[in-house]
Amino acid sequence: MRSIWNGAISFGLVSIPIKLMNATENHSISFRQIHTADGGRIRYRKVCELEEKEVPPSEIGKGYEDADGSLIPITDEDLAVLPLHTAKTIEIVAFVPASSIDPLQMDAAYYLSANGVPATKPYTLLREALRRSQKVALAKFALRGRERLGMLRVVDDVIAMHGLLWPDEIRTPEGVAPETDVKVREAELDLADALMNTLGEVELSSLHDDYRAAMEQLITAKVEGGVLPEAAPAEGGGQVIDLMAALESSVRAAQEARGASGASGAGGEAGGEDAEVTPIKGRKRAASAPKAAAGAKKSTTGAAKKTAAKKTTSAKSTKSAAATKKTAAAKKSTPKKTTPRKHASA
């Protein structure tokens, strides 16, 4: 790996000679501008406005454009005398938790390598100190003509440095958030959680650039005279009319995709159990349930009325039977009147 900068890490009174290497690379397919009429390449040439002729790189310098449009030359000698302590040094200024770094500040990433055998011991010391403290180091360094902010952290057995934007380079998100107040229901949040749980996790190494693969296929077909790839169907970008239906459909689609990929999929192991879609009360699909419940209530009410009527009739018949028995008993207990016999003479 080719180094792009040589210097040292300043760690208190400890100085660690290091080499700086790019940790990332760009795999994007680049294009050249051409003349569509004849296919000739369009090139940009550096031309002096005063002499109107092309200037070689050895004669090109730096200049600052003033407010009135005049150019002030800045030479390499002028830059060399600037009081910049970080010109060849990565100066650590603090150790902070990684959570205190805003991801918006993240910029390019670099690997730091120990430069020479004497640098191995202090390099390892700093690496293990960072690993054990579970913190990152904030540092200042100069690269490509400007001083920058950096964050040092441990990646495997290497110290990596992320370039950070200065805090005043982060724009505030004014006017970005929705201006209309929107209320999110608990049922919608539950479905969103179910969708997140169903999608689960993924191994980043399994992700790839589909656009670049399609571009390579297109270029190969152009060169070899093959069949050009077909255009992908356009996805609907309209307004979501029913958010709940869209969430439920998304959960089902994610479950089907995970079921098709099997347990060996990237997110199959880490995602845990699939989430279940619970119908939301009050939706059209649940309309039949209230009707059934209403019917059940009616039948229950009718049965109750019939039972009450039977009880009433039984009670009446019981009372009538009791009254009849009482009457009979009363007749038996009443003594018979004796009529005196008349005398014969009478």
Side-chain angles (χ1 to χ4, degrees), residues 311-321:
K311 288 182 178 180
T312 304
T313 305
S314 176
K316 286 181 179 180
S317 60
T318 303
K319 288 180 179 180
S320 179

Side-chain angles (χ1 to χ4, degrees), residues 155-172:
V155 177
D156 295 334
D157 290 332
V158 176
I159 298 176
M161 182 174 67
H162 296 267
L164 299 179
L165 300 176
W166 295 99
D168 58 359
E169 293 179 324
I170 304 297
R171 301 173 62 184
T172 56

Side-chain angles (χ1 to χ4, degrees), residues 66-141:
D66 205 356
D68 58 359
S70 60
L71 295 173
I72 303 173
I74 303 294
T75 64
D76 293 338
E77 289 76 14
D78 296 333
L79 298 176
V81 297
L82 288 177
L84 190 61
H85 301 289
T86 56
K88 284 292 182 181
T89 304
I90 299 175
E91 182 181 354
I92 296 178
V93 296
F95 293 90
V96 298
S99 59
S100 64
I101 305 297
D102 191 340
L104 284 174
Q105 292 184 254
M106 293 290 185
D107 203 356
Y110 307 94
Y111 288 138
L112 304 181
S113 173
N115 193 1
V117 176
T120 303
K121 181 64 180 288
Y123 181 94
T124 306
L125 172 64
L126 176 60
R127 183 191 66 195
E128 296 306 315
L130 287 172
R131 195 197 304 272
R132 188 172 71 172
S133 67
Q134 297 183 350
K135 292 183 177 181
V136 297
L138 282 180
K140 296 169 66 177
F141 67 103

Side-chain angles (χ1 to χ4, degrees), residues 232-278:
E235 296 182 357
Q239 222 175 11
V240 177
I241 298 175
D242 192 340
L243 180 59
M244 297 295 293
L247 285 171
E248 292 173 0
S249 300
S250 300
V251 172
R252 282 192 293 271
Q255 289 176 344
E256 292 173 1
R258 290 190 60 189
S261 61
S264 60
E269 296 178 0
E273 297 181 357
D274 290 346
E276 296 182 359
V277 182
T278 304

Side-chain angles (χ1 to χ4, degrees), residues 187-230:
E188 294 169 338
L189 286 175
D190 292 340
L191 273 177
D193 291 339
L195 178 58
M196 294 168 61
N197 293 333
T198 304
L199 292 176
E201 300 179 0
V202 66
E203 290 291 337
L204 290 179
S205 59
S206 65
L207 303 178
H208 58 277
D209 190 348
D210 294 329
Y211 181 81
R212 185 179 59 137
M215 184 62 65
E216 292 174 350
Q217 183 180 358
L218 172 63
I219 294 174
T220 303
K222 284 272 191 179
V223 173
E224 299 177 354
V227 180
L228 297 180
E230 296 181 0

